[in-house]
Amino acid sequence: MNAVAKKASWDEAYNFAYLDEQTKRMIRRALLKAVAIPGYQVPFGGREMPLAYGWGTGGMQVTASVIGPSDTLKVIDQGADDTTNAVSIRRFFKRVAGVATTEATEEASVIQTRHRIPEKPLKEGQVLVYQVPQPEPLRKLEPRETETRKMHGYAEYGLMHVRLYEDISRFGHIATTYSYPVMVNGRYVMSPSPIPKFDNPKMENNKAIQLFGAGREKRIYAIPPYTRVKSLDFDDHPFEVQRWPQACALCGARNSYLDEVVLDDKGGRMFVCSDTHFCADRQEKGHRGPMAADPAARAFARSSETSEQKEDDGR
Amino acid sequence: MYVAVKGGERAILNSHKLIAETRRGDGQVPELSVRQIGEQLGLAVDRVMTEGSVYDRELAALAIKQAQGDLVEAIFLLRAYRTTLPRFAVSEPIDTATMLVQRRVSAAYKDIPGGQVLGPTYDYTHRLLDFALAAEEGVGLPEAPEAEAPLDEGMPHVADILDHEGLIEEERPDSEGAEVFDLTREPMSFPAGRDQRLQNLARGDEGFVLALGYSTQRGYGGNHPFAGEIRMGEVSVEIVPEELGFAIDIGDVVVSECQMINQFEGSKEKPPQFTRGYGLSFGHNERKVMAMALVDRALRAREMGETAMYPAQDEEFVLYHADNVEAAGFVSHLKLPHYVDFQAELNLIRKLRQEHQDRLEKEAAE
């Protein structure tokens, strides 16, 4: 914080990135421990943020502790840069840290996310910060923290396998579609946060550093770059991700996670990429989906594209 | 279209403007001042200070005004502000025996040294709507008569009277220099010490703590409580600055305190004796401190060798769910878009229904 810090201008009623330096130091220590023990949940003295618990306070504290004035921040919710809470968090950091923001995945040095991993592979040096509502993957099986901590301590994960097996005996396949538990570095079972299981394979050997912040539950955990992350499964029932019979209606992508968008009340709907930047980028490069020319679909796409411009008006 | 979550910045800013307009209400009606709230909605201010963990009437009143009287929202505002405050010192323990008492009652003894002092209380008002308060010209300046003689200076704690006979468990101070747990700086940990528990309950939602306390009275963990003493008044706060090395008075705070006395049948190690539950809050809030004292005692089950069978005795259940800022946040986060996960579930339900249909058809064919 010096010459560079001077360049970034923020609301000086607050310390850079809102939190005081002591708090940031405490969080960074927790982050270092988390990186050193991949998948282990580190308790930390989470602070009250000016955003409701459950709305990304953990992610915000992590972002606030790792961000510097020269960073470029991207914030997504459900894969989209223009969802209201993503806009709200981006505005917060514009105000209290004055950092540059972007929607382009490749331009961001820090990406805070809720419920998705961007489609575009991340690079070395990038930081992906996940917002985590419930860090404990075993919580639905055992409500007591004193018990689950023991289970992690002894790597006693039989209960989780039994749960997955019960799905198979009942439905013939595992019926977990998001928050699909992973084994990190062969030691800790970890919640990937409520990302769709479609995104789970992206966690493995990712070049970026992945940090997870759970504000309400006051836990931090991490996956360092190039770490083994395996979705739990059985030899005869291997893990598999969601597939769609459709391509993205706007950009024609066949390999991205699709959201179903209701167009009217007569059953009209289309499937589009949940990663808005990925979709817009493809369209810019000339890729067209089956509904790219449809007026209703265009209206939907426009409302997404102009969000950044609106934001600048509003400042 | 799902514009509600795809509206972006302009929609957010407009909603801010709309809430400002709604908060102000009809422009023909004079605007409420923060001082008016502080003076005339004092009990709301007390609750917000207690659960917001900041003793500042003006800030709490401002939070109430900003939140349109939504106290849970006001508590949240105050807590978020608190995060940005530096910590100068940790105070010495306050001594409530030296309290400048405004109210002090005991249900355990008819008369107590220092006397019963009713003070300002709604207890014996008949709960009839007072239409005089609704009059346009207001109520003027009601005045209470002054007592003929001042109150006794020192008012010993009622529980200490029992103490001399060993009928009630001793209250031992922490060892000199023992560090007090700080819930606002450290994550919750279990088993929880009494400091952590009492901080949690003091900050805990009044309604939640009240309901839990009530449940212990109705049979979900009965401890046969007696309101040993409830007192409210001013106490001074002292700190010991490192450079001085002795205590200096930094101001007074009004607190409410409750010592609940509970029967205890004794265990192998301990003879039968009365045990204590403790409640403390900023300002005047007897409902909170009484409920808190009941729950504190219920949560001492482990320490007393009692079997924890009821919700109020379940430490993790109570302490993890008492905070209304956490609870309100997590409940309200359901308003955030979840369409990525919902899409995943839609796909799954469609698949499961298809499999179900196929199975029925196969069975019919057989």
Side-chain angles (χ1 to χ4, degrees):
Chain A
M1 303 239 183
N2 29 53
V4 202
K6 287 252 162 56
K7 247 193 336 189
S9 69
W10 66 89
D11 181 344
E12 301 205 2
Y14 302 97
N15 191 33
F16 176 77
Y18 192 74
L19 297 174
D20 62 277
E21 295 304 312
Q22 285 303 320
T23 300
K24 286 195 232 173
R25 179 185 292 179
M26 174 273 295
I27 293 173
R28 288 179 195 135
R29 281 181 180 148
L31 285 167
L32 286 174
K33 181 166 179 180
V35 169
I37 318 171
Y40 171 76
Q41 299 168 51
V42 183
F44 80 110
R47 299 291 194 256
E48 246 119 14
M49 298 298 281
L51 189 82
Y53 278 122
W55 293 57
T57 55
M60 278 167 88
Q61 290 179 77
V62 171
T63 297
S65 306
V66 299
I67 207 162
S70 57
D71 274 310
T72 303
L73 177 70
K74 171 182 166 82
V75 184
I76 50 173
D77 185 347
Q78 314 293 299
D81 297 88
D82 62 344
T83 35
T84 40
N85 203 43
V87 170
S88 165
I89 292 173
R90 190 162 57 235
R91 266 187 86 210
F92 176 79
F93 281 108
K94 261 189 190 170
R95 176 171 174 191
V96 301
V99 292
T101 59
T102 182
E103 294 196 2
T105 302
E106 65 279 5
E107 285 171 14
S109 51
V110 179
I111 303 172
Q112 181 168 329
T113 181
R114 177 169 171 264
H115 294 191
R116 277 310 311 277
I117 299 175
E119 304 291 0
K120 185 166 224 162
L122 300 176
K123 301 174 291 191
E124 275 184 20
Q126 285 184 305
V127 180
L128 184 59
V129 179
Y130 294 75
Q131 299 171 200
V132 182
Q134 177 50 262
E136 181 46 72
L138 306 170
R139 182 64 67 236
K140 288 216 166 128
L141 305 172
E142 168 53 62
R144 276 160 217 288
E145 177 69 9
T146 39
E147 287 303 313
T148 51
R149 280 188 84 76
K150 273 185 225 158
M151 290 160 78
H152 285 294
Y154 295 123
E156 180 55 66
Y157 296 129
L159 208 55
M160 182 61 93
H161 282 104
V162 169
R163 206 210 84 197
L164 297 176
Y165 173 75
E166 279 173 351
D167 272 4
I168 293 172
S169 64
R170 185 154 172 229
F171 304 114
H173 50 84
I174 293 169
T176 297
T177 56
Y178 62 94
S179 289
Y180 192 106
V182 293
M183 170 65 82
V184 181
N185 203 30
R187 174 59 181 85
Y188 284 102
V189 165
M190 183 195 96
S191 166
S193 86
I195 58 171
K197 65 177 179 176
F198 178 90
D199 284 338
N200 274 22
K202 296 176 189 162
M203 306 182 102
E204 167 139 86
N205 280 325
N206 200 308
K207 293 177 182 173
I209 181 165
Q210 302 174 72
L211 307 175
F212 298 77
R216 194 177 40 80
E217 299 283 341
K218 299 177 177 61
R219 295 288 184 274
I220 279 173
Y221 53 100
I223 304 174
Y226 303 104
T227 301
R228 271 186 300 146
V229 179
K230 198 175 165 322
S231 301
L232 299 184
D233 63 358
F234 298 98
D235 291 345
D236 49 347
H237 286 276
F239 173 77
E240 52 184 31
V241 300
Q242 291 102 335
R243 303 249 170 258
W244 282 259
Q246 304 88 342
C248 170
L250 297 175
C251 78
R254 292 203 155 271
N255 55 352
S256 71
Y257 190 85
L258 301 181
D259 280 336
E260 192 169 329
V261 177
V262 176
L263 295 174
D264 53 43
D265 54 5
K266 300 177 195 71
R269 58 195 58 200
M270 64 173 180
F271 288 84
V272 294
C273 296
S274 101
D275 184 335
T276 48
H277 173 255
F278 176 79
C279 194
D281 190 43
R282 279 178 52 86
Q283 290 177 61
E284 219 163 86
K285 287 174 179 149
H287 297 282
R288 288 287 175 272
M291 284 177 81
D294 185 279
R298 294 255 32 103
F300 171 80
R302 254 198 317 280
S303 77
S304 305
E305 276 161 21
T306 49
S307 76
E308 189 72 354
Q309 189 194 333
K310 282 181 198 164
E311 200 169 323
D312 291 340
D313 292 348
R315 253 199 117 194
Chain B
M1 216 164 64
Y2 200 1
V3 283
V5 292
K6 284 230 167 222
E9 183 90 350
R10 193 181 299 166
I12 292 178
L13 289 173
N14 285 339
S15 90
H16 292 173
K17 287 176 189 152
L18 197 54
I19 192 107
E21 187 187 311
T22 315
R23 178 194 296 132
R24 176 59 183 87
D26 184 348
Q28 302 294 311
V29 179
E31 187 179 339
L32 199 56
S33 76
V34 167
R35 275 193 69 192
Q36 284 175 322
I37 295 171
E39 291 297 323
Q40 297 171 36
L41 296 177
L43 298 182
V45 169
D46 288 348
R47 177 177 174 196
V48 171
M49 290 196 305
T50 301
E51 294 175 39
S53 292
V54 176
Y55 193 93
D56 188 317
R57 301 197 69 82
E58 209 173 319
L59 286 178
L62 170 61
I64 291 169
K65 177 173 178 177
Q66 191 177 330
Q68 284 178 273
D70 177 344
L71 299 189
V72 174
E73 177 72 18
I75 290 159
F76 179 16
L77 288 169
L78 202 55
R79 292 257 196 105
Y81 175 77
R82 186 187 193 281
T83 296
T84 66
L85 299 177
R87 166 157 310 189
F88 296 118
V90 176
S91 77
E92 294 293 290
I94 57 171
D95 181 3
T96 51
T98 64
M99 176 185 279
L100 206 58
V101 162
Q102 294 174 34
R103 171 164 163 78
R104 187 259 201 145
V105 291
S106 169
Y109 290 103
K110 185 169 183 192
D111 203 6
I112 42 180
Q116 307 260 16
V117 183
L118 282 191
T121 175
Y122 285 106
D123 284 353
Y124 306 101
T125 62
H126 295 141
R127 267 54 169 219
L128 303 170
L129 272 179
D130 182 357
F131 292 102
L133 288 170
E136 281 289 323
E137 63 275 17
V139 292
L141 295 168
E143 244 180 286
E146 220 167 284
E148 283 153 19
L151 294 172
D152 288 1
E153 285 222 347
M155 289 215 188
H157 285 297
V158 171
D160 296 342
I161 300 166
L162 291 166
D163 216 0
H164 299 306
E165 279 187 73
L167 295 178
I168 191 161
E169 61 173 327
E170 245 185 295
E171 202 142 75
R172 285 171 300 261
D174 285 333
S175 55
E176 199 66 37
E179 215 168 291
V180 180
F181 187 91
D182 184 348
L183 193 54
T184 67
R185 304 270 150 158
E186 296 162 66
M188 207 111 72
S189 71
F190 294 96
R194 202 168 180 200
D195 46 0
Q196 180 185 337
R197 179 203 310 151
L198 290 173
Q199 284 170 31
N200 175 286
L201 292 176
R203 281 157 61 88
D205 183 75
E206 182 179 315
F208 179 77
V209 178
L210 176 67
L212 281 171
Y214 176 46
S215 75
T216 67
Q217 287 181 282
R218 278 198 71 260
Y220 288 79
N223 284 306
H224 313 288
F226 297 94
E229 183 175 14
I230 294 152
R231 58 167 70 193
M232 183 272 290
E234 263 177 38
V235 291
S236 62
V237 179
E238 294 179 337
I239 60 166
V240 181
E242 260 176 51
E243 59 271 34
L244 290 183
F246 55 87
I248 54 167
D249 190 332
I250 56 163
D252 298 324
V253 295
V254 174
V255 296
S256 300
E257 183 188 51
C258 173
Q259 286 267 9
M260 206 60 92
I261 298 173
N262 301 269
Q263 242 175 52
F264 176 62
E265 291 159 0
S267 64
K268 262 189 207 154
E269 293 81 27
K270 291 182 179 173
Q273 68 178 166
F274 291 112
T275 55
R276 304 172 191 238
Y278 187 74
L280 185 81
S281 82
F282 284 148
H284 190 186
N285 197 342
E286 291 171 31
R287 192 188 301 126
K288 174 66 176 283
V289 293
M290 291 177 75
M292 180 176 167
L294 290 172
V295 178
D296 172 47
R297 175 59 187 84
L299 286 173
R300 296 180 64 200
R302 181 170 28 83
E303 175 195 340
M304 297 288 173
E306 297 162 338
T307 322
M309 296 190 296
Y310 301 108
Q313 297 171 310
D314 186 328
E315 184 170 76
E316 281 204 39
F317 177 80
V318 174
L319 301 193
Y320 263 126
H321 302 113
D323 194 297
N324 58 29
V325 177
E326 288 177 3
F330 202 50
V331 168
S332 75
H333 108 285
L334 294 174
K335 289 185 277 189
L336 286 177
H338 282 80
Y339 49 76
V340 162
D341 295 343
F342 188 66
Q343 184 62 49
E345 292 291 274
L346 269 178
N347 289 0
L348 176 69
I349 292 284
R350 282 181 182 136
K351 186 176 172 188
L352 292 178
R353 285 174 65 88
Q354 186 61 48
E355 286 166 359
H356 182 73
Q357 184 66 25
D358 293 350
R359 205 160 47 238
L360 287 183
E361 279 169 17
K362 201 174 146 218
E363 278 167 19
E366 280 165 5

